[in-house]
Amino acid sequence: MSVFKRIKDIVNSNINSLLDKAEDPEKMLKLMIGEMDEAIIKMKSDTAAKMANLKSVEKKVEEAEKAVSRWQERAELAIDKGSDEMAKEAIRERKVAEEILDSLRNDKAILEKEVEEGKRELETLSSKLVEAKERLRTMPPKKEVVKVKEEKTKPTP
């Protein structure tokens, strides 16, 4: 989660005040854009890995659901055939399968939350990156900024 904290710090930083205080606002903005690009790449990678894990867990949930129903059917069949011992064993196995299923469902819910959070963070950072790139594009050339600063510092006669 340190990546998300770093991204939030970047996004939440006041770009305007940083640029006003910086000696070279264009250089500072380019540096921030580079950091945002790196953070987006890392977030995409992390989110993709979580999505892959989610798919895997979803598949395991399906398998566990099938196992629960299979053990239920075996228990019912054993009862119908009058085999109490086999029925008890099938019920024990069904309970174990249900516990595994519950655990997998919890894992799935956690992964779904993490994937959604990653997607939201990615959208937020992407929009901030677009804003920063637009700001860089509309930034006056460095020569004009230096000229304005020099005019401000010149003593008036």
Side-chain angles (χ1 to χ4, degrees), residues 42 52 55 57 89 99 101-102 109 119 125 138 144 153:
K42 176 74 171 136
K55 288 287 183 191
V57 169
E89 182 64 29
E99 290 172 3
L101 178 60
D102 289 342
K119 286 179 179 179
L125 188 57
T138 61
E144 289 180 25
T153 59

Side-chain angles (χ1 to χ4, degrees), residues 33-90:
I33 289 171
E35 287 179 1
M36 286 181 188
D37 280 333
E38 290 174 14
I40 286 174
I41 290 169
K42 176 74 171 136
M43 285 181 69
K44 282 182 180 179
S45 174
D46 289 348
T47 303
K50 288 178 184 174
M51 289 171 75
N53 287 342
L54 179 60
K55 288 287 183 191
S56 173
V57 169
E58 286 173 344
K59 193 172 188 178
K60 289 178 183 178
V61 165
E62 288 177 23
E63 291 170 2
E65 287 172 342
K66 288 177 184 175
V68 168
S69 66
R70 190 171 49 247
W71 284 113
Q72 179 64 33
E73 289 171 5
R74 288 179 183 171
E76 291 171 2
L77 182 63
I79 290 171
D80 289 344
K81 297 227 176 190
S83 178
D84 290 340
E85 234 6 81
M86 287 177 66
K88 287 178 185 177
E89 182 64 29

Side-chain angles (χ1 to χ4, degrees), residues 9-20 32 135:
D9 290 344
I10 291 170
V11 171
N12 291 332
S13 68
N14 187 339
I15 294 176
N16 291 330
S17 69
L18 281 174
L19 293 175
D20 291 341
M32 291 174 68
R135 171 100 185 203

Side-chain angles (χ1 to χ4, degrees), residues 117-134:
E117 181 182 325
K119 286 179 179 179
R120 274 193 312 275
E121 294 288 332
L122 194 54
E123 287 175 15
T124 301
L125 188 57
S126 294
S127 68
K128 293 295 180 183
L129 179 61
V130 169
E131 289 174 20
K133 285 181 177 180
E134 181 62 23

